[in-house]
Amino acid sequence: MKDMNISFRSLSALIIVLLLRDSGVSGFAPAPVLPFPIPSIVHDTTPLKQRNSANKLLYVASRLPSNTRVAAMIDASNTWGNIAGLSGAGVAGQILGNRTKIGKLLGPPVSAMAISFALASVGVLNPGGTAASKFLQLLSLNLATPLVLLGADLRDCVSCCGPLLPSFFCAATATFVACFIGWHFTGTMLRAALGPDGLVIASALLAKNIGGGINYIAVTQALSASPQAIAAGLCVDNIFALIYFPATNALGSGRPDVVDKPQQSEIKDWKEDKTSVDVQKVTLTLFISSILLSLSEKVGGSSGMLPICSLASVLFASLAPRGMIGSIQHTSEVLGTSFLYLFFATAGAPGIMVAESVKSSVVPLGAFLTFLYSIHGLTLWSLNRFLGKTNPSFVPQRLLIASSAAIGGPPTSVALAKANGWQSLEVPSILVGNIGYTIASFLGLAFYSVLN
């Protein structure tokens, strides 16, 4: 048990070492082949000065007991210093998440969370989080919601999505049913591990795997989940995502496009203006987002603000004049993604406190997600097996895109379509993903209301 107590401290160092090694940062030798469990490094008798950089960092981190409070390099009272540190984690997450092998597996947002977790665990940031971290988390959380969803113009869904629309609704239904079955078998364990947050995180994971990360955030905020539980749910879900997304890529590899010649006119009409991000577009986008948040707070209060804002943002994007909304969609995407990265950085800010929460909940969360992913996948496989030859909605290409849109949102589904050359599914994959963004938070809250 003593060895297990230091393993999470070592893990935080290991993540940052591997990311830096892959990025080509000087001073980091290729990481050694590590024998596991990690504590074998602790008992290594090699003098510290003879070890390489990676091994030194692992050794020093693992020597810190889990209950040790080290004075942080950036004091908790240093508001702008802490904001700078977390913003830096967001920048590093974006860079390493797109340029390193491990970062690409984790994705930029989770890379940002892993980096801030490591910084807080080894004493650069204050372990346990700070007032500055909470301020930045609230700001990024609230603004990311309308900014991301201003791109969800659903006017062309029926005409552009075609057979992909039933595919997506089947994928979303599979996730919804899977969560009820999963809760039936694992709910007691989740409540024992996370207390009242057990059902909240299960509801948020349902929303995340129908819509995306923005829906996970909205549900946890609406139901007042603790930061430790929020981070634990994200960590365990991303372990499953590391298996799921490579599997979908492998299953889609080599399959032809479902349509020989996609309708270029529809694609051209749908795509927004991406020529520039200028001051007028930024200020207009922030102005619209602030109005939507203000009105949503008046209607739903602090707890219902984000779900209502999600719906209001989609309605605005779908009803506003095309010329106006099209001119700011790229700007809102850039700003929304930036704030989303900042939120994930703040999610890792508690540092080793998150590790303790993950350690206590990894088994029940893993069991719940096993039901979710397994039933989701088995349902879509059955649809293809028995109806794929007669119904175009259930051919493998569309089911894979629909599944990816539900589990990961529009960014992952369109990436899958592009990677496999399925040009006819690129725009529909974004549109069905936006439908997921629209409905997922409400489905998560409905799940909570039924089971609470």
Side-chain angles (χ1 to χ4, degrees):
M1 293 301 295
K2 181 179 179 181
D3 288 346
M4 288 300 295
N5 287 336
I6 61 175
S7 62
F8 283 99
R9 184 76 67 167
S10 302
L11 180 60
S12 65
L14 179 60
I15 291 171
I16 198 93
V17 167
L18 292 178
L19 287 172
L20 289 172
R21 179 204 68 183
D22 282 351
S23 68
V25 176
S26 60
F28 281 86
V33 178
L34 299 176
F36 285 91
I38 290 176
S40 58
I41 296 173
V42 179
H43 303 301
D44 188 354
T45 57
T46 306
L48 186 60
K49 65 181 180 180
Q50 295 180 14
R51 302 181 185 211
N52 61 33
S53 300
N55 227 333
K56 285 178 182 177
L57 182 54
L58 282 169
Y59 179 85
V60 172
S62 64
R63 280 294 184 182
L64 294 173
S66 60
N67 60 354
T68 299
R69 284 289 180 128
V70 181
M73 291 175 58
I74 302 176
D75 190 78
S77 62
N78 186 347
T79 300
W80 287 108
N82 280 279
I83 290 176
L86 292 169
S87 300
V91 173
Q94 163 67 12
I95 295 172
L96 300 175
N98 287 307
R99 298 184 184 177
T100 68
K101 292 180 180 179
I102 292 176
K104 288 177 181 178
L105 284 174
L106 295 174
V110 179
S111 296
M113 185 172 71
I115 291 168
S116 63
F117 169 86
L119 293 176
S121 297
V122 300
V124 177
L125 297 173
N126 192 69
T130 63
S133 172
K134 293 176 182 177
F135 163 77
L136 186 61
Q137 184 174 76
L138 185 63
L139 177 67
S140 58
L141 167 68
N142 289 336
L143 281 173
T145 300
L147 287 169
V148 169
L149 294 176
L150 282 175
D153 186 344
L154 303 182
R155 277 173 282 205
D156 295 326
C157 277
V158 175
S159 60
C160 287
C161 293
L164 186 61
L165 204 55
S167 308
F168 176 77
F169 282 121
C170 287
T173 301
T175 296
F176 191 71
V177 173
C179 287
F180 277 97
I181 297 173
W183 180 260
H184 175 75
F185 288 100
T186 66
T188 302
M189 291 190 296
L190 281 169
R191 287 188 188 277
L194 296 172
D197 283 339
L199 180 56
V200 175
I201 298 303
S203 304
L205 288 171
L206 182 155
K208 181 180 182 294
N209 289 294
I210 290 177
I214 199 72
N215 301 102
Y216 181 92
I217 294 168
V219 172
T220 54
Q221 174 73 4
L223 300 177
S224 303
S226 69
Q228 291 77 22
I230 293 172
L234 285 172
C235 286
V236 179
D237 183 68
N238 278 284
I239 293 172
F240 281 77
L242 290 177
I243 301 170
Y244 167 83
F245 288 114
T248 56
N249 286 329
L251 290 170
S253 179
R255 297 184 184 274
D257 197 356
V258 292
V259 177
D260 292 335
K261 294 182 179 180
Q263 299 179 15
Q264 296 296 329
S265 59
E266 289 184 358
I267 295 175
K268 182 178 179 181
D269 290 343
W270 182 87
K271 286 187 176 179
E272 68 274 12
D273 176 20
K274 292 191 176 183
T275 54
S276 65
V277 176
D278 56 35
V279 174
Q280 179 178 333
K281 292 176 183 177
V282 170
T283 52
L284 177 59
T285 304
L286 291 174
F287 172 66
I288 294 171
S289 299
S290 300
I291 289 178
L292 290 170
L293 285 167
S294 177
L295 294 175
S296 299
E297 186 176 29
K298 287 184 179 296
V299 174
S302 58
S303 62
M305 179 177 69
L306 289 186
I308 292 174
C309 186
S310 299
L311 180 61
S313 300
V314 173
L315 288 174
F316 181 86
S318 300
L319 297 175
R322 286 183 183 270
M324 189 269 284
I325 198 66
S327 68
I328 65 169
Q329 280 181 330
H330 180 54
T331 302
S332 67
E333 178 187 354
V334 171
L335 291 173
T337 303
S338 301
F339 280 114
L340 201 58
Y341 288 174
L342 288 176
F343 171 79
F344 274 85
T346 62
I352 205 67
M353 291 177 63
V354 173
E356 296 298 329
S357 180
V358 172
K359 184 169 66 173
S360 66
S361 60
V362 64
V363 172
L365 283 172
F368 176 79
L369 286 167
T370 298
F371 279 100
L372 190 159
Y373 280 85
S374 299
I375 294 173
H376 174 95
L378 183 61
T379 300
L380 299 187
W381 176 86
S382 299
L383 289 171
N384 172 250
R385 176 71 175 80
F386 297 106
L387 299 174
K389 293 182 179 180
T390 59
N391 192 319
S393 293
F394 303 133
V395 297
Q397 295 92 324
R398 288 194 175 96
L399 287 174
L400 287 170
I401 290 293
S403 176
S404 184
I407 298 295
T412 60
S413 60
V414 73
L416 178 64
K418 288 181 177 179
N420 288 286
W422 300 338
Q423 189 178 3
S424 68
L425 295 177
E426 288 182 15
V427 169
S429 70
I430 297 174
L431 292 173
V432 296
N434 285 336
I435 293 174
Y437 279 160
T438 306
I439 64 176
S441 296
F442 296 99
L443 291 175
L445 293 173
F447 176 84
Y448 179 84
S449 298
V450 170
L451 295 174
N452 188 25

